[in-house]
Amino acid sequence: MKDLQCDFCGDLHPIFSWECCDAVFEVYDYVTGKMHIHRSEGNWVACGKCHQFILCEDRTGLANRSAQEYLQISETSHKNLDLIFAMMFAYQTIFWNGKSGEYYPVIFDLDEGRGN
Ligand SMILES: [Zn+2]
């Protein structure tokens, strides 16, 4: 079984996979100070807590959680929560714009990848 991480906060136990269309987008990375091209392909997986934020359509709450977790687990010396929040919010816009509203338990997503 491959190791999955929550696409929002980095939690190691995502439980739901949200359908999302593929997209390419640019986000300003406050840590490196550069624009970065991100390619989003397929579903985004969410842990239980992030899943609740998504169900409530709480974009601010979700980005805030992501920023807090990011500051805890990353090695960065960049500790400006407001800037990290802005980066997470921008990054997650692609999810909010692309999601279909359908989600599944993560186990089904893993089954799809069998035979790789
Ligand atoms: Zn999460």
Side-chain angles (χ1 to χ4, degrees), residues 36-50:
H36 280 274
I37 305 281
H38 287 276
R39 188 175 298 276
S40 171
E41 287 174 342
N43 296 3
W44 291 45
V45 292
C47 67
K49 286 181 182 167
C50 292

Side-chain angles (χ1 to χ4, degrees), residues 5-14 45-51 53 62 65-66 69:
Q5 275 187 286
C6 175
D7 285 319
F8 303 91
C9 74
D11 186 280
L12 293 174
H13 304 287
V45 292
C47 67
K49 286 181 182 167
C50 292
H51 180 69
F53 282 113
L62 183 62
R65 170 174 166 74
S66 301
E69 294 297 313

